[in-house]
């Protein structure tokens, strides 16, 4: 498959104007677990030109029930596995990775070039730290967060809401990993909401 | 004052930090927008609320 063949197909699939906008855009995904691994795959398939992937962790056996990894990935950094996987989907992407834990101290440096960030962390306090830090440091940044997608309850409870001027929250807002178990379908649905909001922000600008 | 779309009454000289504590919010798991701007956590105690304020309080749950 040549670059020209790939571009020609995407021009047809998306329309030239849409494809150009997607290729020219850049999105960061913070966390490559159940949410982030699915978001990254969907954004790669959507031809987002530059993807910035951030995660500190390595793939574990316990990730296989709901994250986009394989047995062959176990023990390897999620950033590295995801880069390989995304380039198999779309070899013409520009992928930037940081295998690092995001903190209040490194947040400004890590996200200084971003205009759209998907928050895809696991722990509630980490989600809050990232969202607070990004919105305070970068007044024009758009943040799309995932909150409440555990269990196997009604999938229609998962929605996208604009809660602040530059902040969207996807999920049911309630179910956490402590009481209802972690299942693949609802986390994928929530990731789909986040990825779809990314496309809206890029294409409806 | 308006909080998440609902009109609420507040005591005089109440800080955002006091309001959040009184209403049971875990400050480590929320984000607050006041009149369209994010309030950094470090300013919760010094941010004094007024009847004219509009607050949006977002609460995060784990998983992802």
């Amino acid at each position: 498959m040549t670059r020209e063949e790939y571009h020609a197909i995407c021009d047809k699939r998306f329309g030239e104007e849409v494809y150009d906008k997607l290729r020219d855009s850049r999105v960061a995904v913070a966390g490559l677990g159940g949410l982030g691994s699915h978001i990254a795959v969907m954004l790669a398939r959507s031809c987002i030109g530059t993807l910035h992937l951030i995660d500190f962790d390595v793939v574990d056996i316990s990730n296989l029930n709901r994250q986009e990894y394989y047995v062959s990935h176990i023990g390897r950094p999620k950033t590295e596995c995801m880069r390989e996987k995304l380039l198999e989907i779309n070899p013409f992407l520009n992928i930037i990775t940081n295998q690092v834990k995001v903190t209040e101290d490194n947040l400004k440096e890590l996200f200084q070039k971003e205009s759209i960030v998907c928050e895809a962390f696991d722990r509630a306090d980490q989600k809050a730290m990232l969202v607070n830090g990004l919105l305070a440091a970068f007044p024009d940044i758009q943040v799309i967060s995932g909150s409440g997608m555990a269990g196997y309850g009604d999938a229609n409870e998962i929605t996208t809401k604009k809660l602040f001027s530059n902040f969207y929250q996807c999920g049911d807002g309630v179910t956490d990993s402590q009481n209802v178990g972690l299942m693949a379908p609802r986390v994928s649905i929530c990731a789909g909401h986040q990825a779809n909001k990314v496309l809206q922000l890029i294409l409806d600008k | 004052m308006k909080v998440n779309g609902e009109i609420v009454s507040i005591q005089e000289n109440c800080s955002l930090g006091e309001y959040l504590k009184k209403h049971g919010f875990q400050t480590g798991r929320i984000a607050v927008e006041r009149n369209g701007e994010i309030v950094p956590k470090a300013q919760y105690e010094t941010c004094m609320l007024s009847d004219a304020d509009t607050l949006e309080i977002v609460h995060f749950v784990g998983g992802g």
Side-chain angles (χ1 to χ4, degrees), chain A:
Chain A
M1 178 176 77
T2 66
R3 185 182 288 265
E4 287 67 32
E5 283 171 331
Y6 188 85
H7 289 337
I9 290 295
C10 289
D11 274 344
K12 271 193 194 162
R13 279 273 184 261
F14 297 129
E16 205 174 325
E17 193 186 337
V18 166
Y19 182 44
D20 283 347
K21 279 189 188 176
L22 295 169
R23 278 165 71 191
D24 287 343
S25 57
R26 170 176 173 136
V27 177
V29 182
L32 293 174
L35 286 174
S37 63
H38 287 104
I39 293 169
V41 166
M42 286 185 260
L43 296 181
R45 293 196 196 282
S46 306
C47 302
I48 302 299
T50 302
L51 288 173
H52 183 187
L53 310 176
I54 301 157
D55 195 291
F56 69 91
D57 214 355
V58 296
V59 178
D60 185 78
I61 297 173
S62 64
N63 301 145
L64 298 177
N65 72 319
R66 64 196 271 278
Q67 304 186 15
E68 277 282 347
Y69 301 103
Y70 310 130
V71 170
S72 61
H73 291 142
I74 291 169
R76 295 179 54 213
K78 288 183 177 179
T79 46
E80 201 181 291
C81 299
M82 195 46 66
R83 177 204 293 275
E84 287 173 11
K85 194 177 158 88
L86 299 186
L87 291 176
E88 283 284 321
I89 292 168
N90 180 348
F92 310 110
L93 296 172
N94 177 29
I95 300 175
I96 302 160
T97 59
N98 290 111
Q99 194 195 353
V100 65
K101 193 170 172 71
V102 179
T103 66
E104 283 178 347
D105 296 327
N106 65 13
L107 181 147
K108 274 192 190 175
E109 195 188 334
L110 274 172
F111 294 95
Q112 59 182 333
K113 290 190 180 160
E114 309 307 333
S115 54
I116 300 177
V117 178
C118 289
E119 176 281 307
F121 287 167
D122 187 24
R123 283 169 40 189
D125 61 334
Q126 296 298 298
K127 290 173 181 289
M129 180 274 296
L130 180 67
V131 171
N132 277 292
L134 290 174
L135 294 176
F138 307 107
D140 297 323
I141 205 162
Q142 307 257 27
V143 182
I144 307 162
S145 181
S147 185
M149 76 302 292
Y152 55 92
D154 189 352
N156 293 329
E157 297 282 313
I158 293 172
T159 60
T160 302
K161 288 179 181 152
K162 182 175 185 174
L163 296 180
F164 297 172
S165 35
N166 290 340
F167 174 68
Y168 299 83
Q169 196 177 56
C170 305
D172 63 26
V174 181
T175 53
D176 69 16
S177 42
Q178 301 305 309
N179 46 36
V180 284
L182 296 165
M183 302 290 184
R186 287 183 109 240
V187 81
S188 305
I189 292 164
C190 188
H193 272 261
Q194 290 179 265
N196 189 56
K197 181 47 73 179
V198 168
L199 300 187
Q200 286 183 342
L201 291 176
I202 290 166
L203 297 175
D204 292 346
K205 222 175 358 189

Side-chain angles (χ1 to χ4, degrees), chain B residues 6-57:
Chain B
E6 289 187 16
I7 306 287
V8 301
S9 55
I10 47 163
Q11 296 168 336
E12 275 186 40
N13 297 320
C14 180
S15 73
L16 175 60
E18 285 168 326
Y19 179 86
L20 294 171
K21 197 174 169 189
K22 191 179 164 191
H23 290 83
F25 287 100
Q26 289 179 272
T27 54
R29 296 180 169 204
I30 60 169
V32 181
E33 191 185 57
R34 176 179 176 240
N35 304 329
E37 286 186 18
I38 192 85
V39 185
K41 263 183 212 305
Q43 292 173 21
Y44 282 4
E45 296 308 322
T46 53
C47 171
M48 301 309 290
L49 299 175
S50 93
D51 280 336
D53 282 342
T54 297
L55 295 187
E56 295 294 333
I57 304 173

